[in-house]
Amino acid sequence: MVKEAFRQKTSISFLSRPDLPNLAYKRLKGKSPGIIFIPGYMSNMNGTKALAVEEFCKSLGHAYIRFDYSGVGNSDGNLQECTVGRWRKDVLSVIDDLAVGPQILVGSSLGGWLMLHAAIARPQKVVALIGIASAVDGLVTQFNQLPVEMKKEIEMKGVWSMPSKYNEEGAYHIQYSFIKEAEHHCLLHSPIPVNCPVRLLHGMEDDIVSWHTSIQVADRVISKDIDVILRKHSDHRMKEKADLQLLVYTIDDLIDKLSTVVN
């Protein structure tokens, strides 16, 4: 069930889910395939990339959905209780209950990890993927690279203060339980059963998620139609004008490709 609400002069819709937090979203109706933007860790649906993709979809007349994870932005839910598994369920709720017809998923950072899960779980509906600085297995890989003493200390404290220049405090405080739960969703240890076209965009100056992650994903995904596009001077956020242009060109190219197949 969907109810409308008005906040900050823009209408935000809410997806009501029994036993799960209501999700805030904005939707453009339009042609197929639709596009869904899946945000990064602690990011909401009002980021530069999400809005740039919306403008592009408007200009093309394609359907578009952007949303907030539970516990983030305007969605309900307690951030302390959120996990990768819960956010994966959020993405599937959007695909199942809001999206109509075939969809191209655009995943940023953590969203690049979750888009793969969505493609595995909903192969009939997810027809292409675009990852931006995809953080596949991200926090787990970063945690595992810490010295043994530090990992033990985090386990005892129950919290990892992970330094980040993208947070006002200079660090994200991540529950140890969040990392342990995220381990259940790791994908890079075996072939990834995704067969649709995949495009992975990554900046070589990304100091949060190495561009080598996108190469690993390309190696693991079983699809034969997969491109990795590296931008030499882009960072993790990939939100400069040239980055956004590359993103919309990539979407446009996939829509063209799919229009010969999906009607």
Side-chain angles (χ1 to χ4, degrees), residues 22 39 53 57 76 82 90 97 124 128 142 146 162 167 175 182 194 214 241:
N22 296 338
V53 176
C57 288
D76 295 343
C82 289
D90 292 349
D97 301 334
Q124 263 66 51
Q142 286 162 285
L146 296 174
M162 183 182 80
N167 183 317
Q175 302 291 322
V194 168
S214 282
K241 191 176 177 185

Side-chain angles (χ1 to χ4, degrees), residues 25-259:
Y25 71 92
K26 293 203 76 172
R27 174 166 59 181
L28 282 180
K29 290 188 175 167
K31 292 184 287 195
S32 276
I35 320 290
I36 301 174
F37 188 87
I38 308 173
Y41 179 73
M42 299 299 291
S43 294
N44 62 34
M45 62 170 144
N46 297 315
T48 310
K49 293 184 289 288
L51 296 175
V53 176
E54 181 172 82
E55 280 307 303
F56 183 67
C57 288
K58 256 186 207 165
S59 72
L60 279 190
H62 273 260
Y64 179 62
I65 299 168
R66 55 188 168 101
F67 70 98
D68 288 337
Y69 295 122
S70 43
V72 178
N74 283 301
S75 287
D76 295 343
N78 176 1
L79 186 59
Q80 297 305 313
E81 292 168 10
C82 289
T83 61
V84 172
R86 286 196 180 196
W87 287 337
R88 175 184 174 276
K89 276 187 185 164
D90 292 349
V91 177
L92 295 180
S93 291
V94 169
I95 292 170
D96 293 343
D97 301 334
L98 295 176
V100 178
Q103 301 294 315
I104 297 173
L105 307 186
V106 179
S108 175
S109 195
L110 169 78
W113 182 3
L114 294 177
M115 75 178 185
L116 290 169
H117 276 287
I120 294 164
R122 301 291 184 269
Q124 263 66 51
K125 213 162 177 183
V126 176
V127 293
L129 300 177
I130 300 171
I132 307 158
S134 300
V136 181
D137 300 3
L139 290 165
V140 177
T141 304
Q142 286 162 285
F143 178 77
N144 288 339
Q145 286 167 347
L146 296 174
V148 175
E149 304 76 41
M150 201 181 278
K151 284 195 270 198
K152 280 184 181 161
E153 191 185 323
I154 291 163
E155 190 175 348
M156 279 171 58
K157 276 190 191 164
V159 177
W160 176 25
S161 294
M162 183 182 80
S164 173
K165 63 183 179 190
Y166 300 122
N167 183 317
E168 284 171 17
E169 283 181 56
Y172 287 119
H173 303 294
I174 299 160
Q175 302 291 322
Y176 179 67
S177 57
F178 181 94
I179 299 156
K180 295 316 288 178
E181 193 277 342
E183 285 177 355
H184 298 299
H185 306 286
C186 285
L187 293 170
L188 292 174
H189 49 70
S190 55
I192 302 172
V194 168
N195 287 296
C196 65
V198 181
R199 303 289 177 264
L200 300 168
L201 318 181
H202 219 122
M204 292 176 82
E205 289 185 7
D206 189 332
D207 57 351
I208 308 292
V209 180
S210 164
W211 57 268
H212 293 93
T213 304
S214 282
I215 305 292
Q216 275 183 292
V217 173
D219 189 44
R220 289 294 192 204
V221 167
I222 64 172
S223 171
K224 297 208 168 20
D225 184 358
I226 178 157
D227 295 340
V228 180
I229 303 163
L230 299 175
R231 289 190 57 79
K232 188 160 186 175
H233 296 298
S234 297
D235 65 9
H236 185 63
R237 288 177 292 183
M238 287 196 80
K239 57 193 226 181
E240 298 306 318
K241 191 176 177 185
D243 298 324
L244 299 174
Q245 262 178 341
L246 172 64
L247 174 56
V248 298
Y249 288 159
T250 306
I251 296 170
D252 199 26
D253 186 53
L254 279 174
I255 288 172
D256 277 354
K257 186 184 186 76
L258 292 164
S259 65

